[in-house]
Amino acid sequence: MKKQKSPPQAFQAHPWHGVSPGDAAPEVLTAYIEIVPTDALKYELDKETGILRLDRPQQFSSQCPTLYGFIPQTYCGEQVAQRAADRTGRKEIQGDGDPMDICVLTEKSISSGNLLVRAVPIGGFRMIDGEEADDKILAVLESDLVYGEMQHVAQCPRAMVDRLKHYFLTYKQIPGEGKRRVEIAEVYDRPEALEVIRRSMKDYQRLYGTAPRTTRSRPRKR
């Protein structure tokens, strides 16, 4: 009698450390989405457990107009900070110690986060939070019917860029506390976005090494 194979052990990969950014990264990559435009609460990945947790209610009426999350196996460390320092002339800048943030434009209505998507970077914001580099990569959902053919941030609707800038300049301000020093020092195009992502991948590898086992975001064959 042929011995049956045991089913694989069930587990959920850690979204930051256990998911690959993709073989084609940074040109086309996997992004983990934490929040969607309809969220009135801010969700954030718990770094230790890999579980999405409630961070706080949104303090103002403005909400992120795109899908928002991060790129797996990236880290905002020395190389990302050095790029920000070189471009802004501010030598005191350090990395914020988080994975690289990403906004993903799509015409589809997605009801909740905690999912992986394939995204194509088209630009980004060089955001400085106090003295920390906190870049925001701007991308489009791969094959999206409305945004999918965009290759450069200049092709993105000006109103969408302005809404994103307003959101990121205000969402960390807490009522009753002093005004937090947050600025967008530069809006950059696709080549610079790819450079920033490459640096964040190198920062991750330097700190954590290359993960021996990862989960790739390939669809199941039908």
Side-chain angles (χ1 to χ4, degrees), residues 113-214:
N114 191 28
L115 77 156
L116 301 174
V117 301
R118 293 268 292 176
V120 180
I122 63 171
F125 300 149
R126 195 173 312 283
M127 183 166 154
I128 309 297
D129 182 359
E131 295 182 353
E132 294 182 340
D134 190 13
D135 288 65
K136 310 297 182 185
I137 299 300
L138 182 59
V140 297
L141 187 69
E142 185 181 43
S143 301
D144 189 83
L145 294 177
V146 173
Y147 296 102
E149 294 185 0
M150 291 183 182
Q151 291 291 318
H152 304 284
V153 70
Q155 297 172 306
C156 185
R158 184 73 237 176
M160 178 61 74
V161 174
D162 289 342
R163 287 179 64 195
L164 280 166
K165 289 170 69 175
H166 178 266
Y167 175 74
F168 287 121
L169 289 173
T170 60
Y171 82 123
K172 291 187 178 182
Q173 307 298 340
I174 300 176
E177 296 187 5
K179 189 173 182 180
R180 192 164 175 170
R181 183 186 173 194
V182 180
E183 63 177 295
I184 294 175
E186 180 184 6
V187 178
Y188 48 75
D189 211 343
R190 176 177 166 84
E192 180 64 15
L194 299 183
E195 175 64 21
V196 170
I197 297 169
R198 289 189 191 99
R199 286 171 174 258
S200 69
M201 294 171 72
K202 290 178 181 178
D203 276 335
Y204 180 91
Q205 291 167 4
R206 180 177 180 179
L207 183 63
Y208 295 106
T210 302
R213 182 178 182 180
T214 58

Side-chain angles (χ1 to χ4, degrees), residues 36-139:
V36 300
T38 55
D39 283 330
L41 302 171
K42 185 178 183 298
Y43 300 100
E44 189 170 282
L45 187 78
D46 181 81
K47 292 180 181 179
E48 182 177 350
T49 64
I51 298 173
L52 200 63
R53 65 176 174 83
L54 176 62
D55 184 38
R56 64 179 184 270
Q58 298 284 22
Q59 301 294 330
F60 297 97
S61 58
S62 61
Q63 295 167 272
C64 188
T66 67
L67 304 179
Y68 181 46
F70 62 84
I71 304 169
Q73 295 185 28
T74 60
Y75 181 76
C76 188
E78 291 183 8
Q79 290 210 27
V80 173
Q82 186 60 56
R83 188 67 171 182
D86 292 343
R87 301 280 288 200
T88 63
R90 293 173 52 181
K91 302 305 180 184
E92 77 282 3
I93 294 177
Q94 300 177 346
D96 71 354
D98 286 334
M100 181 59 61
D101 294 325
I102 188 168
C103 305
V104 183
L105 280 73
T106 175
E107 60 100 14
K108 298 299 183 183
S109 177
I110 297 177
S111 60
S112 63
N114 191 28
L115 77 156
L116 301 174
V117 301
R118 293 268 292 176
V120 180
I122 63 171
F125 300 149
R126 195 173 312 283
M127 183 166 154
I128 309 297
D129 182 359
E131 295 182 353
E132 294 182 340
D134 190 13
D135 288 65
K136 310 297 182 185
I137 299 300
L138 182 59

